[in-house]
Amino acid sequence: MRTHLSSTFVVLASVILSGQQGRPEPPQEPPAVTFKVEVNYVEVGAVVTDAQGNFVRTLSKDDFQIFEDGKPQKMSAYSLVDVPVERAEPARRAGGAVPVEPDVVGNATPFQGRLYLIVLDDLHTDVSRTPLVRAAVRRFIQQNLADNDLAAVVATSGRREGAQTFTSNRRLLLQAADTFIGRKLRSAVLEKLDDYRQQMDMTGQDPGQAGKTINDALDVERGQEARTTLLNLRNLAEALSNLHGRRKAMIYVSEGIDYTTTNYEENREIAGNARLGVPIDDALREVILAASRANVSIYGIDPRGLTNQGDTEIEIGYVPDDPNQRLDASGLLDELRAAQENLRVLSDQTGGFASVNSNDLGTAFNRIVSDNTSYYMLGYYPSNEKRDGKFHKIEVRVNKPGLRVRARKGYVALPKAGPALTHVPVSEGSPDLAEALSRPIQTSGLTLHANAVAFRAAAPNASLAISILADGHGFKFSEKDGWSEDRLEVSVRAIDAGGTIRGSEHFDMNIRIRPENVQTFSTTGFRAVSKIDVPPGKYELHIGAREAGGGSVGTIYSEVEVPDFAKPPLSMSGLVMTSAATGGVPTGRAETVRELTPIVPSTARAFHATDEITIYAECYDNATAQAHTIDLAASILNDNGKAIFSQHEERSSADLQGMHGRFSYAARIPLKSLAPGEYVVHFEAASRLGTGKPTSRELQFRVEP
C-alpha cells in the first residue's frame, strides 16, 4: 500500500479552485490537467426554437449551415440528441420515509444524461441573499435533476468544505448547496460615500468640487475577487473540455461582477480610483473563450430576482449635492446594470441565457433542462487549418424562416504542437488508466462494480474493505503453454475534501486459467479486493481498472463516509454481504481483508430465490467501564417497511475484559421463503446502559425468481 501526498485531478474543486478560507490572496494559476482534445475538430450544440420558444426537432442535416469567420464550412457530423428523463423509486427504510442509497456503484451503463456544473458565486452574492441561493439550488436539484443526470457543486472562492464532485446523489448535492454562504463585499458606491463624508467632515469642503479623489477602500480586494472568480470559471470550463459529443451546462448562480467593464472586447479606464479594467476584461474574455472551446454553455442566474437595489439603498443616509458623483440610488443602479450585463455577456456568448430581473426561477430551470435535453450536435473540420491560437467566430443558420438558433459563438484554434493544458503526472500505472482517472466523470469501458465497507482500525484510522468486480466479457485472453492468460491492473484512491490522496493501492494481477474455463469466467467475472487505511471523514473514492489483453479501461467514482468509530459509546461498521452462489467468483487478494471480515465482500445485490445470503458487521463498544449488555438485531424489511425476518443476539461487555473492543455479528438468511422483490437488510446495536442512541446500518437487495 502506498499513500500519496500529491494530487492529480481527483476532486473537481481541488484543482479548478485555488482560493482559501477567508478573503482570497491575489489569485495564482491553479494546477492544470492533461486532456486529449482533437484540435482540428469543432463541435457545436445548437438549440433551435420556433416563435413560441418550442424546440424544433424536424430538421435534417441539409437544413443547417455553419459559418466560421463568415466562411461556409462542410458539416461532417450531425445528430439530433434527445436525452431521456429517468426517475426511479428507491427502496425505503422502515416507515417508508427516507430512501436507502445503493451501497454498490458501477459503470455498466455509459453516462447518457445531462451534465450540470452548479457554480455558486459566494464572492459576488450578499450574505443576506444566502437563503435565496440555497433555496434556488435545492429547487433545481429536487425538481429538475433526473436520475440519469450528473451534477457538481462548487464555490467561486475556492471553499472546499462544501464542494461536491459530479454525482447523481441528490442528498450529497443538497448537502453541498446548504453549505453556501454569501461573502460579497459592501457596495463600492457605499464605500465611496463613506469616504466622501469623511473628507467633508475633515475639510468642510465638498471633495468633488475641490477636485479630490473619492476612494473605494475595498477597490483592490474587489478587483482580486473579480479576477479570482473569472479565473475559476475559466478553469471549470477547461476541466470539461475532454467530454465530447454533448452539451455541458454551467449554472452560474451569482449577483454578477460589477467591477469589470460591460464589454469584454473593450479595454477602457474605470472612473473612481483610476484603475484599469484591462486585466479583468481579459479574464472575462478568457472565460468565454474557454467555455466556447469546451462547448460549455453558461446560464447566469441572479438569485435576487426582480430588484432595484432597494435593500442596499436604505443604507444611504446622505447624498452629495453634485449628482454627477453618482453616490446615490443612481450609482447603485449602475452597479446593478453592470453586474447583470456581465451575466448576460457570459451567458449569451457561450450559447446559454441569463435569468435576471425575474422571480420565475422555475421557468428558467425548465429552459435549462430543455436546452440540454433536446438539441442538435453538429461537427466540422475547419477549412482554415491554421491552428493560430486565435478566436474564430461561429455562426449556425437554418434555412427555414421564423426559427431561432442558439449556439456558442466561436472557439479558439489550439496550436497543433499539443493541447493548451499541461498536467500533473501520475507516476504509477499505465498511461491509459492514469488518463481515465483524470477525467471529471467515470469511464464506461471495462465494466466494473464496487463497494467499500468501513471498519475500525488502529487509531486514528479506519480501514476500507473494497471489493471490485470486473465483467468477465471484458477480458481478452491469450493462449500460452496450454493456458489462457491475461492481466488486470487496478488503482484505488481515497481523496479527501482538500484534494489530497489519503490512501491508495495500485496493483497488477496475472490471471491464468484453463481454456475450457474461459466461458465460465466470462459469466462470473473476476473480483479483486483492496484495503486502504484513512482517517475518519468524507472521501471521493476513485477506482480504475485496465485489462491488458484488449486494453479496455473502466473507472468508478463514488462518495464514502468513514465514521469515527472510537468517538461514540457504540458504533457499527458497514455491512458486508455475500451469498453461496457469489462465493464461487474467482477472487484475487482476498487475504488483504481477512483481518477485517471472515467473508469476502460481494458486489452482488440480486440473488436467486434458491440462494442463501450472509451479512456480516462489527459492533464497537467504547463504554466498558461499567458492565452492560449489547443487543444485536438483524431484520429483513419488505418494500413496505415491514419486518419479515428477524434475528436477535445478546453480548456482554465482560467478554471484552474491560477493553474497548468489538463484537462480530453475522446473519445467514435462506431466500427460499422470500417472494421475488426488493428488500432491505437492517442491522441494529443498542446498549442497555442507555448512553447514546442505538446504531444501525442498512442496505437493499433484490430476490429474483
Side-chain angles (χ1 to χ4, degrees):
M1 181 179 70
R2 293 184 283 270
T3 300
H4 299 257
L5 298 179
S6 62
S7 172
T8 61
F9 186 160
V10 289
V11 174
L12 188 66
S14 71
V15 172
I16 56 184
L17 300 180
S18 58
Q20 301 175 10
Q21 289 283 0
R23 294 294 179 187
E25 298 295 328
Q28 304 294 324
E29 288 293 328
V33 183
T34 287
F35 297 119
K36 294 182 179 179
V37 180
E38 296 181 65
V39 296
N40 60 338
Y41 179 72
V42 179
E43 286 183 328
V44 185
V47 177
V48 184
T49 54
D50 60 20
Q52 289 72 43
N54 301 313
F55 179 74
V56 179
R57 63 180 63 253
T58 57
L59 301 177
S60 67
K61 180 179 179 181
D62 295 335
D63 292 323
F64 286 92
Q65 289 180 296
I66 299 180
F67 295 83
E68 182 177 302
D69 297 330
K71 298 180 180 179
Q73 304 295 309
K74 181 180 179 181
M75 195 183 311
S76 58
Y78 157 89
S79 64
L80 170 61
V81 179
D82 267 315
V83 182
V85 176
E86 298 178 1
R87 289 192 178 274
E89 184 67 22
R92 297 186 176 273
R93 301 180 193 266
V98 182
V100 175
E101 295 180 4
D103 68 320
V104 174
V105 293
N107 65 352
T109 302
F111 171 59
Q112 296 178 337
R114 287 148 290 265
L115 194 73
Y116 301 112
L117 180 54
I118 303 172
V119 183
L120 307 182
D121 193 357
D122 51 345
L123 294 181
H124 296 93
T125 302
D126 191 83
V127 65
S128 66
R129 257 87 71 177
T130 294
L132 293 178
V133 173
R134 292 182 180 181
V137 178
R138 289 186 68 89
R139 176 175 182 171
F140 180 83
I141 293 168
Q142 292 173 324
Q143 299 183 20
N144 296 98
L145 192 70
D147 290 347
N148 55 322
D149 296 341
L150 291 176
V153 178
V154 294
T156 56
S157 65
R159 288 184 65 254
R160 291 172 176 150
E161 292 80 3
Q164 175 58 53
T165 53
F166 284 109
T167 181
S168 59
N169 188 314
R170 291 184 182 85
R171 176 183 62 83
L172 297 176
L173 292 168
L174 292 172
Q175 283 181 354
D178 287 344
T179 66
F180 173 82
I181 299 176
R183 306 165 61 208
K184 183 179 180 179
L185 293 170
R186 189 167 179 256
S187 163
V189 169
L190 297 179
E191 288 294 323
K192 289 182 179 181
L193 188 56
D194 286 350
D195 186 61
Y196 181 93
R197 292 170 179 167
Q198 291 174 4
Q199 293 192 48
M200 281 282 292
D201 292 342
M202 292 176 62
T203 65
Q205 295 182 327
D206 186 313
Q209 295 179 0
K212 300 292 185 180
T213 300
I214 303 172
N215 291 308
D216 169 13
L218 300 176
D219 180 76
V220 173
E221 193 172 358
R222 204 181 306 279
Q224 290 175 356
E225 295 196 348
R227 186 157 176 80
T228 293
T229 296
L230 293 171
L231 278 174
N232 286 328
L233 289 177
R234 181 202 70 183
N235 291 350
L236 284 163
E238 288 180 343
L240 301 178
S241 63
N242 69 332
L243 302 176
H244 299 289
R246 65 169 59 251
R247 287 174 66 91
K248 290 152 279 186
M250 181 187 294
I251 302 175
Y252 176 42
V253 185
S254 172
E255 295 178 15
I257 300 173
D258 56 14
Y259 185 88
T260 68
T261 58
T262 58
N263 189 335
Y264 75 92
E265 296 284 359
E266 296 178 356
N267 295 329
R268 62 185 178 88
E269 190 171 320
I270 305 269
N273 281 8
R275 56 177 163 84
L276 292 177
V278 176
I280 305 303
D281 281 342
D282 287 347
L284 181 62
R285 178 185 177 88
E286 288 175 7
V287 175
I288 294 170
L289 298 185
S292 298
R293 182 168 58 243
N295 202 16
V296 172
S297 297
I298 298 177
Y299 298 89
I301 305 295
D302 188 341
R304 292 171 294 190
L306 188 61
T307 180
N308 61 0
Q309 289 285 61
D311 53 347
T312 306
E313 187 177 344
I314 62 175
E315 296 187 48
I316 297 178
Y318 172 82
V319 176
D321 293 334
D322 183 4
N324 293 324
Q325 297 289 342
R326 301 191 75 79
L327 299 181
D328 52 18
S330 63
L332 294 177
L333 285 176
D334 289 343
E335 289 183 339
L336 175 65
R337 294 189 190 102
Q340 291 182 338
E341 180 61 19
N342 279 331
L343 285 177
R344 291 189 182 97
V345 168
L346 283 170
S347 302
D348 180 66
Q349 293 291 318
T350 59
F353 63 81
S355 175
V356 299
N357 282 329
S358 173
N359 294 326
D360 189 6
L361 284 181
T363 296
F365 288 157
N366 289 338
R367 285 185 63 195
I368 293 173
V369 174
S370 178
D371 267 14
N372 292 273
T373 295
S374 299
Y375 54 91
Y376 294 92
M377 184 57 68
L378 314 175
Y380 69 96
Y381 291 90
S383 57
N384 178 7
E385 297 183 355
K386 291 183 179 180
R387 319 313 295 163
D388 51 15
K390 296 181 179 179
F391 182 79
H392 294 270
K393 184 179 179 181
I394 295 175
E395 183 182 3
V396 179
R397 302 176 187 171
V398 293
N399 58 17
K400 294 186 177 181
L403 301 184
R404 181 189 176 206
V405 182
R406 189 151 35 84
R408 62 176 171 138
K409 304 296 185 181
Y411 75 100
V412 175
L414 297 175
K416 288 185 177 180
L421 304 178
T422 58
H423 74 286
V424 179
V426 178
S427 59
E428 63 183 12
S430 64
D432 287 347
L433 181 55
E435 193 274 335
L437 285 168
S438 75
R439 297 172 188 167
I441 63 175
Q442 64 186 31
T443 301
S444 293
L446 178 63
T447 299
L448 303 174
H449 289 86
N451 80 312
V453 181
F455 292 88
R456 192 172 74 180
N461 289 333
S463 291
L464 288 174
I466 303 166
S467 181
I468 307 156
L469 181 70
D471 186 357
H473 294 92
F475 287 77
K476 305 295 182 183
F477 287 94
S478 60
E479 302 299 319
K480 183 179 180 180
D481 299 330
W483 292 87
S484 295
E485 297 183 345
D486 203 348
R487 182 171 57 85
L488 186 68
E489 174 190 3
V490 178
S491 183
V492 180
R493 305 170 184 173
I495 307 103
D496 66 15
T500 300
I501 302 178
R502 300 300 298 270
S504 72
E505 276 201 326
H506 185 94
F507 51 87
D508 295 295
M509 289 176 293
N510 295 315
I511 303 170
R512 196 168 185 244
I513 60 176
R514 290 295 185 184
E516 60 268 23
N517 294 328
V518 170
Q519 184 60 44
T520 301
F521 184 94
S522 298
T523 303
T524 63
F526 182 79
R527 178 168 52 199
V529 180
S530 173
K531 181 178 81 72
I532 55 178
D533 293 341
V534 293
K538 177 182 176 181
Y539 295 92
E540 177 93 359
L541 196 62
H542 283 206
I543 298 170
R546 178 182 181 274
E547 178 271 336
S552 58
V553 176
T555 60
I556 292 175
Y557 301 161
S558 68
E559 302 283 341
V560 59
E561 293 272 359
V562 178
D564 187 347
F565 293 114
K567 190 173 182 179
L570 192 65
S571 59
M572 182 182 291
S573 71
L575 301 183
V576 177
M577 174 180 277
T578 191
S579 76
T582 59
V585 175
T587 302
R589 307 178 80 248
E591 70 281 356
T592 59
V593 297
R594 196 160 292 153
E595 64 181 29
L596 303 177
T597 169
I599 61 176
V600 178
S602 171
T603 59
R605 294 297 179 263
F607 307 97
H608 192 271
T610 59
D611 208 348
E612 179 181 81
I613 61 173
T614 301
I615 305 104
Y616 174 82
E618 290 184 344
C619 176
Y620 308 115
D621 187 359
N622 299 316
T624 56
Q626 182 179 351
H628 59 278
T629 298
I630 301 293
D631 292 300
L632 303 173
S635 303
I636 301 294
L637 313 178
N638 62 17
D639 55 2
N640 294 320
K642 180 181 179 181
I644 57 175
F645 169 89
S646 61
Q647 177 179 297
H648 174 263
E649 294 184 12
E650 296 180 2
R651 302 292 177 84
S652 172
S653 62
D655 297 338
L656 302 177
Q657 298 180 348
M659 302 294 292
H660 298 315
R662 66 187 71 195
F663 297 109
S664 299
Y665 184 41
R668 297 178 61 182
I669 306 168
L671 302 179
K672 59 184 179 181
S673 62
L674 301 183
E678 300 287 339
Y679 296 90
V680 172
V681 175
H682 179 89
F683 266 42
E684 183 172 294
S687 172
R688 295 186 186 178
L689 281 175
T691 56
K693 298 180 180 179
T695 182
S696 63
R697 294 284 185 269
E698 291 180 326
L699 62 80
Q700 72 177 70
F701 69 97
R702 184 173 69 257
V703 176
E704 299 180 336

